[in-house]
Amino acid sequence: MLSVRHMNLSFNIIICGAGLSGLFPGIALAKRGHRVTIVGATLQLSEIGAGIQIPPNSSRILIDHGLRSKLEESLLCPSE
């Protein structure tokens, strides 16, 4: 008997919320072969708020998704 892990199942998935907590599961699921639709409440994407803090566990997830160079490009260090 085949386990679910060995079957090539593909699902249609809808994620409500286009913030980081919606985008990264969407990326991970799409990389596994699922069809993902992400919906958000805003009509237009724009910057909201003053910035984002990324704790170590979150940065590991970003790096695992191949975004290390993008993180390094956008590092902001306080002026000395």
Side-chain angles (χ1 to χ4, degrees), residues 4-56:
V4 174
R5 181 187 297 168
H6 293 99
M7 299 174 79
N8 286 329
L9 296 176
S10 180
F11 296 98
N12 293 318
I13 299 168
I14 297 173
I15 296 177
C16 298
L20 289 179
S21 59
L23 292 175
F24 287 104
I27 291 169
L29 291 164
K31 283 184 172 184
R32 292 215 167 237
H34 301 290
R35 291 174 299 278
V36 179
T37 301
I38 300 173
V39 295
T42 62
L43 298 176
Q44 181 178 6
L45 293 178
S46 64
E47 289 185 26
I48 299 173
I52 186 170
Q53 295 179 356
I54 304 174

Side-chain angles (χ1 to χ4, degrees), residues 19-29 31 54-71:
L20 289 179
S21 59
L23 292 175
F24 287 104
I27 291 169
L29 291 164
K31 283 184 172 184
I54 304 174
N57 288 342
S58 298
S59 63
R60 286 186 199 104
I61 293 169
L62 295 172
I63 290 168
D64 287 346
H65 281 290
L67 297 172
R68 177 185 288 274
S69 63
K70 293 294 183 185
L71 283 174

